[in-house]
Amino acid sequence: MGASEATPRRLGGGRSRCPHCGLPRDRVATLGHEWVMLEPDLRPLAHEVPAGHRWIELSDGRVTVYGVCPPDPFQRCRIEHRLACPNRSLPDLWPWLTDRRSENARRGENARLTERRHPPEPEPPPEEWPSAG
């Protein structure tokens, strides 16, 4: 962020489709200058998610794993899409996640049926690409 910028610049992530289930997932930058694929539109209370799976959103748009135990009871977090993907075999980590995977399976089937009837338009490229270094 330069001295002339009034607000912090957000890192552009974007959305892509999961190769396993075809549902959207958010591509978000981490503090370690890597990318993680997060479940979109899901922000559970952090105390309901085990410490190693809590991704906390920072003010600049990046995320970091939040391992503080116990977390603030009102803190929200995000989880990786791979944990909620209905087509990946993973252990049953939390009851609410099992429900989310079942819901994603239903949504994925509905999306496939809709796409057969009406093929989707390709997603436009991001307006701004992240800096490569």
Side-chain angles (χ1 to χ4, degrees):
M1 177 169 92
S4 63
E5 294 183 44
T7 59
R9 188 175 44 158
R10 292 177 106 26
L11 296 173
R15 239 179 213 186
S16 66
R17 296 216 173 263
C18 173
H20 301 283
C21 67
L23 292 173
R25 54 193 186 159
D26 290 341
R27 181 176 184 252
V28 183
T30 69
L31 277 180
H33 306 290
E34 296 176 354
W35 297 93
V36 63
M37 304 308 277
L38 299 178
E39 181 70 6
D41 308 319
L42 178 67
R43 287 170 177 76
L45 291 169
H47 70 270
E48 294 179 349
V49 178
H53 299 284
R54 295 180 197 130
W55 289 92
I56 302 299
E57 294 175 301
L58 304 174
S59 61
D60 65 357
R62 294 181 295 171
V63 294
T64 187
V65 173
Y66 186 66
V68 175
C69 291
D72 178 327
F74 302 105
Q75 175 73 52
R76 296 272 176 183
C77 69
R78 299 195 59 191
I79 63 167
E80 291 181 64
H81 172 75
R82 69 181 178 84
L83 298 175
C85 180
N87 292 343
R88 307 250 331 239
S89 57
L90 296 170
D92 186 14
L93 299 172
W94 321 291
W96 63 263
L97 184 58
T98 301
D99 293 340
R100 178 63 178 216
R101 290 175 62 134
S102 298
E103 175 65 15
N104 277 352
R106 186 192 62 74
R107 287 178 46 224
E109 184 58 32
N110 288 344
R112 283 187 289 282
L113 291 173
T114 301
E115 285 179 11
R116 285 185 199 137
R117 287 184 227 131
H118 310 286
E121 294 291 323
E123 293 184 21
E127 292 180 24
E128 222 180 284
W129 291 95
S131 173

